[in-house]
Each structure stands twice: as C-alpha cells, then as structure tokens.
Amino acid sequence: MSSRKRDIEISRFIRKEGKARPHAPFLFLLPALLVVFAVLIFPIVFSFVVSGFDWPLSEGAGTRKFVGLGNYFSLSGDPEFWNSLKLQLGFIFIAIPIELLFGFAAALLLNREFFGARIVRSLLLLPVFFLPILSGMTWRFMLQPRYGPLNSLLISLGAPEITWLGHPVMAYVAIIVQDIWRMWPFMFMLLYAGLTAIPQEMIEAANIDGAGFWRKLRSIIVPMLTPTILTSVLLRIIDALRVFSEVYVMTEGGPGSATTLFSLYTHRQAFGYQKVGMASAMAIFLLGISIVFALTLVRKNMSLDSLEEKAGAG
Amino acid sequence: MKRRTKKTLTSIVIALVAFVVLAIELYPIAITVINGFRRDIVILSGQPFKFSQLTLKSYEMVMKNQGFQLGMRNSLIVGLLSTGVSVLIGAMASYGIARFRFSWRNGLAYSFLVFRMLPQISLVIALYLMFSFVGIRDTVAGITLAHTSFNVPYVIWLLLPFFTAVDKAYEEAAMVDGCNRGGVFFRIFLPIVAPGLVVAAVFAFLNSWNEFLYALILTGVKAKTAPIAINGLLGGETLTWGQACAAGTLMLVPVFFFTLGMQKFLIRGITAGGVKG
C-alpha cells in the first residue's frame, strides 16, 4: 500500500521534473555535441567546400581558385584515381571472403572442448589487437631480401629469393595476406560467439533425426548465423575502406602505385602533390561510400529499442 | 566403443591442426618480440637465431633515443587525456540518450554510431587545414582533440548497453529525496556503472594508443606519438629493426595486457566500432 503510494509520488515527481526542465537531456548531450560539431561535422562541411577549389597545400604551390565540380571531373579522368579504386575494391573483395571462410571454418572446428581449447581460442585473437603499424612493420621485415625469414627459407630450400615488396603483384598480394593474417581471427571471434549462441537443443534434435554434419550446417548453422555473418562482413568492409597505416608502413603505396589503396592515394594527393582540393574531393567520395555502409549496418543491427527490451527482460 | 575412439581421434587431429594454426598466427608477433632482443647488426646480417646473441642492447638504445622517449611520453599524455575527456563527455551523452525521451533521440544516437565509422582519411585533411589556421597543429592539445573525436562516439555506444541495464529506481528515489539530475548522475549513477566506465576507458585508451594517421598528419616534431616515432626508426638510411621491434614490444605491453585481461568484453568493445586506429 505505502510502496504504491511512493510509486505514484515518484512518477508524479518525475513528470513534474520533466516539465520543469525540458532542456535537461540537452545539457547532458551538449559537451558531446560540441565535440562532434567541432571535429566531425565542421571538417566534413569544410572538406566539401575545399573540394570545390583548386587549393594548394602551401603558399608556394599556387593560389586558391574556385573550380566548382572541377576536381570531381578531374578525378574521373585521372587513371591513378581509378587505379586506387580498383586496388581498394580488390583488397576488399579478396581479403574479406577469405577471412570469412577461415573464421567460419575455425569457429566450427574450435566449437568443442579439447586439451588447450580455451588457450587456443584466446591466443588466436592476439593478431586482431596487434597494432596495425607493427603488423605492417613485421610483414615488411619478413619479406625483406637477404635477411627476411621468408627468403631465408626459400634460399635454404634451394629456391631463388624474391624481392617481394619490390614486385608490383607480389607487394599487392603481400598487403592482402597481411590483412588476412591479422583479421580472420576477428571473423572467428564474432562467428564463434554466434555459434555458441545457437540453442543446443536444435543440434540435438537434428542429431536424433539422424542429420549429418553437412545437413546440420546447411539447415541450422548457416541460417542461424546469417545475421552474425552479415554484421561481421559489414564491420570488416567499413574497416577495410579506411585501411591506411599498415599499408603505409609496409610499402608506402609502392612500388610505384602498386599498393596505393584509396586512402593512400588521397594522402598522396594532399601531402605529396599538394593538391588539397583534389584530395578533399576524394575524401568526400569515400565518405559517401562509408556512410552508405555504416547506415546499412546501423539500420540492420543496432537498435536502441532492442537494447532497452534486453534491459527490460534482464 | 568404436564410435568413441573415432571421436577421440577427431579431437586429437583438430587439436593438432589448431596448435599449428595458432603457431602460424603468433609467428609474426613472436618475431617482433624476439627481434627486440637482438642487435640491429645481427638481424641485418641474416644470421640464424641464437640464444647466445640475445641482448638488451636494442632496448637500451631505443630508451635513450630522444625521439622515442618524447613519442612515448606524448602517447601516454594524449591517451590519458583523450580517454578522460571522452569517458566523461561520452558518459554524459550516453546517460542523456538512455534516460530521456526527446523527439530527435533515435536520430541522434544513430548519428553518433555513424560518426564512429567514418574513415579518418576523409576528415584529416580538413583537420590539418583547421588546426593550422587555429595554430594547434603539432601540439598535444590538438592531437588530443583529434583523438577525442573518434573516442566520444565510441564511448557513447560502448556505454549504452551498460546504462540501459541499470534500474531507474535508484535515481528516482534519489530525486524524490531532493537530489537534482546532475547530482543523481554524478553521485548515484556513475558509481553504479563504474565497471562499464572502466571497460570504456580501457578501449578508448587503446584506440588512442594505436592511432597512426591523425598523428602522422597532425603532429610533426613536438607532439609526435610513439607509433610515429617507431615509423621514424624505419625511415632513415639504415633500417634499425632491433630498435623498432624493441619499441614496438614496449607498445604491445599494455595492449596485450588489457586484451587478455578483458576477454569478456572484447566482442562488445570491438563491435561498438572497432579497436583499430
């Protein structure tokens, strides 16, 4: 009785408080909004403005001139731009499916207990948290001629040594292998979590019905994991779209422009060729693509309402 | 009986495969750590690994290297500052989203999430021009602000599940007893969600610690962070692998310490926007 009274008192109070201070959420959000405006929204708008100019990086490199959409047109006629876009797409379409495949296979194999299973599962995640620049550095070291471990191995086998990072195709393969090495455990981590969330009863029921491994895979595991797979692939795409540091440390985009992925070419435009306007046009282009993927991910998977339902249920 | 033998056999084969794969995955990391204990000249001459050649010389040299010292110090300052600011600001915003109902609430929450996923290369050119104009390029304050930009949206989304899981009753009771919203937030709510704040702080720190591109463009001599200093060790005429690896190993210590210590939260941490810099 008295607790009910207290409840009513509380709800009346909250309502009153809410009416008296409609700006309360705004006060809590204000600092974050200020930061977001200063270092995210303003730079985006500013990039858009700059992309309409012929804008040299330093005073000595020329004068600013408004060119409208000129930079975008120049880009569409720039073979290096198309090259970087091609390399970027290749990177995404080669690395991510392989990472997904490895991660999925590992999740299936390691979803059982054996001696050391827990240790394997945790240590497998270390490459994901290895600093990207260290990853680039280590791979660069392993692929060095003369003293790099891979070439030492080739020489001891009697094979000729290869200047991996000096060869356009090999260098491109190398940066992809580096990414696969580092990020397939990421796929494994998410898929393994999804796999352990599948109700055990479903698998048992299938076992009783005499379903074999492939049948279980096709009819239960893959359909149940599809949302997790989509989420992890989207996360990886968003991440791969902005890959920079590991490749920069490993090859600096070379030899020539054989590994100049999109962000490396943007960097080169701005700080190599000093064409800030062109670089900003590229920045806006990449921003557009990233926002499309981010919105897809957000709309599909992350919802405030489901967070609250979960909280209500728990 | 026969079925059981087959099952044990499968387990043994899988365990073997798993350990081989693990060895391959850890090899590049092991190389980095081991090379830190070898001298540059030993590495460059391509000599096979010998226990007798292990030495702390590279550590000694890199610790005395003023560029790296400065980078380490800056990395620590920038990491701690941007973490502190982001966790405070992010926790406030996350509370605002979790506890109030307003018309632009959903849109706002989702835009924070999208902001976390924007490529840094798309922002860094404008930031370079802005920072040059204001005069905070190559300052600790400037690079801290840049790191805060990705950590604030990240912290907001990392904290939301922690915040929505807390029962409103505590805060309501405190408010009835005469505490205002601010007091409720700082004195009642934050202590309850302290574990979440620790998780957010750790991941925010690692985001800043690992970050490379902003530091490359927005700092120069004075405010360069440790990753830039390490990259510098590989940029000169001679490749000082030993020192670079020693420096890299030092940077890895907090990363692996936290990663292995926070297994439970890794997925939450990584899907809130990724730990990658």
Side-chain angles (χ1 to χ4, degrees):
Chain A
M1 183 66 196
S2 79
S3 95
R4 195 181 150 74
K5 223 166 152 188
R6 170 109 174 152
D7 277 353
I8 294 170
E9 192 188 341
I10 288 176
S11 67
R12 194 177 296 149
F13 179 84
I14 303 273
R15 220 173 306 137
K16 206 172 74 199
E17 204 253 2
K19 258 186 213 143
R21 312 188 53 186
H23 55 286
F26 183 67
L27 287 180
F28 277 101
L29 287 160
L30 185 64
L33 290 174
L34 281 177
V35 168
V36 162
F37 181 79
V39 276
L40 289 164
I41 295 175
F42 187 77
I44 291 172
V45 175
F46 190 45
S47 288
F48 190 69
V49 172
V50 173
S51 79
F53 282 83
D54 188 355
W55 190 307
L57 182 68
S58 56
E59 298 286 319
T63 47
R64 269 171 229 169
K65 202 167 70 216
F66 181 70
V67 292
L69 292 175
N71 284 325
Y72 294 89
F73 288 122
S74 310
L75 276 182
S76 68
D78 174 13
E80 274 210 76
F81 168 78
W82 291 108
N83 177 55
S84 74
L85 195 61
K86 194 184 76 193
L87 294 175
Q88 182 69 51
L89 290 176
F91 184 86
I92 290 172
F93 281 109
I94 299 169
I96 294 179
I98 297 178
E99 287 163 14
L100 176 64
L101 205 69
F102 281 15
F104 190 46
L108 287 175
L109 283 179
L110 295 179
N111 188 20
R112 70 190 72 210
E113 290 314 313
F114 55 83
F115 176 74
R118 280 178 74 98
I119 295 176
V120 171
R121 284 197 295 257
S122 0
L123 289 184
L124 213 43
L125 303 182
L126 287 184
V128 180
F129 295 93
F130 199 52
L131 278 75
I133 66 141
L134 293 185
S135 178
M137 179 179 94
T138 306
W139 280 88
R140 183 170 150 196
F141 172 74
M142 291 197 297
L143 301 174
Q144 286 294 318
R146 288 193 355 268
Y147 54 87
L150 190 62
N151 275 322
S152 306
L153 181 74
L154 284 181
I155 292 167
S156 71
L157 292 173
E161 68 170 13
I162 300 172
T163 318
W164 298 97
L165 297 179
H167 185 284
V169 177
M170 289 304 181
Y172 186 57
V173 171
I175 61 164
I176 291 177
V177 170
Q178 179 272 142
D179 194 72
I180 293 172
W181 166 77
R182 207 163 58 83
M183 291 318 268
W184 79 257
F186 170 86
M187 290 285 195
F188 160 73
M189 176 166 75
L190 297 188
L191 293 178
Y192 178 76
L195 206 57
T196 51
I198 294 178
Q200 205 51 44
E201 299 87 58
M202 286 182 82
I203 306 281
E204 274 159 22
N207 283 340
I208 291 169
D209 292 344
F213 171 74
W214 294 108
R215 173 79 198 177
K216 273 184 281 181
L217 188 67
R218 213 180 57 218
S219 306
I220 301 174
I221 297 176
V222 170
M224 293 287 285
L225 274 187
T226 305
T228 316
I229 293 175
L230 285 177
T231 309
S232 17
V233 169
L234 277 172
L235 277 170
R236 279 297 300 129
I237 291 177
I238 290 166
D239 212 26
L241 276 172
R242 57 179 176 191
V243 57
F244 179 85
S245 34
E246 49 274 52
V247 181
Y248 182 82
V249 174
M250 206 167 150
T251 65
E252 260 186 273
S257 34
T259 54
T260 309
L261 301 183
F262 199 89
S263 57
L264 280 108
Y265 188 50
T266 312
H267 176 259
R268 193 180 284 181
Q269 277 282 4
F271 301 99
Y273 306 157
Q274 310 236 327
K275 290 183 176 167
V276 179
M278 288 281 267
S280 296
M282 288 187 74
I284 293 293
F285 180 80
L286 183 66
L287 198 70
I289 297 176
S290 298
I291 288 178
V292 170
F293 279 107
L295 283 176
T296 317
L297 178 68
V298 168
R299 292 180 71 139
K300 247 188 51 51
N301 292 77
M302 318 212 165
S303 124
L304 269 183
D305 302 332
S306 79
L307 265 185
E308 271 144 20
E309 271 162 37
K310 234 184 271 169
Chain B
M1 187 63 198
K2 207 177 153 204
R3 221 178 131 170
R4 239 182 108 173
T5 347
K6 198 183 151 201
K7 223 176 158 184
T8 327
L9 212 69
T10 327
S11 274
I12 292 175
V13 172
I14 287 175
L16 280 177
V17 173
F19 277 104
V20 170
V21 171
L22 183 65
I24 296 172
E25 280 301 293
L26 296 186
Y27 177 75
I29 300 176
I31 278 209
T32 312
V33 176
I34 290 169
N35 273 346
F37 291 100
R38 301 171 79 199
R39 299 189 61 169
D40 295 327
I41 191 146
V42 175
I43 298 169
L44 283 170
S45 64
Q47 296 176 34
F49 174 77
K50 278 200 211 92
F51 275 105
S52 59
Q53 282 175 332
L54 291 184
T55 159
L56 286 172
K57 204 87 196 156
S58 290
Y59 279 91
E60 234 171 76
M61 284 172 78
V62 86
M63 300 280 233
K64 268 190 247 152
N65 181 323
Q66 289 191 340
F68 182 67
Q69 277 179 7
L70 181 66
M72 241 358 193
R73 201 169 63 222
N74 284 336
S75 264
L76 274 174
I77 296 172
V78 171
L80 292 174
L81 273 180
S82 81
T83 301
V85 174
S86 314
V87 171
L88 178 67
I89 293 180
M92 288 174 68
S94 203
Y95 185 77
I97 292 170
R99 284 296 191 255
F100 294 94
R101 297 287 170 275
F102 42 93
S103 51
W104 32 284
R105 176 170 172 267
N106 277 309
L108 186 76
Y110 295 137
S111 4
F112 279 129
L113 191 53
V114 170
F115 278 131
R116 175 60 187 95
M117 299 178 188
L118 301 182
Q120 287 174 323
I121 189 74
S122 292
L123 299 164
V124 74
I125 298 161
L127 286 176
Y128 177 89
L129 298 175
M130 286 160 59
F131 281 17
S132 304
F133 183 75
V134 185
I136 54 171
R137 190 155 60 82
D138 198 16
T139 64
V140 169
I143 187 70
T144 303
L145 182 65
H147 283 188
T148 307
S149 77
F150 55 74
N151 268 337
V152 166
Y154 177 80
V155 167
I156 291 175
W157 270 86
L158 190 69
L159 286 178
L160 267 175
F162 286 103
F163 282 16
T164 49
V166 175
D167 196 335
K168 285 194 184 100
Y170 301 106
E171 296 145 70
E172 287 168 353
M175 271 164 42
V176 172
D177 295 339
C179 199
N180 64 20
R181 266 288 178 190
V184 166
F185 174 70
F186 285 107
R187 272 186 258 134
I188 314 287
F189 191 77
L190 284 190
I192 298 175
V193 294
L197 297 179
V198 171
V199 175
V202 165
F203 283 113
F205 182 81
L206 291 184
N207 280 339
S208 166
W209 188 250
N210 294 357
E211 203 283 327
F212 181 75
L213 181 55
Y214 279 173
L216 180 71
I217 310 281
L218 302 176
T219 71
V221 189
K222 287 182 287 146
K224 72 173 172 198
T225 56
I228 304 300
I230 294 180
N231 186 46
L233 289 172
L234 296 174
E237 281 298 300
T238 47
L239 298 169
T240 48
W241 291 110
Q243 292 181 55
C245 288
T249 308
L250 289 174
M251 289 218 72
L252 272 181
V253 173
V255 177
F256 284 175
F257 180 74
F258 286 132
T259 310
L260 292 175
M262 300 209 114
Q263 292 269 334
K264 223 172 99 190
F265 298 107
L266 284 189
I267 293 200
R268 218 187 256 191
I270 212 162
T271 51
V275 163
K276 213 172 147 275

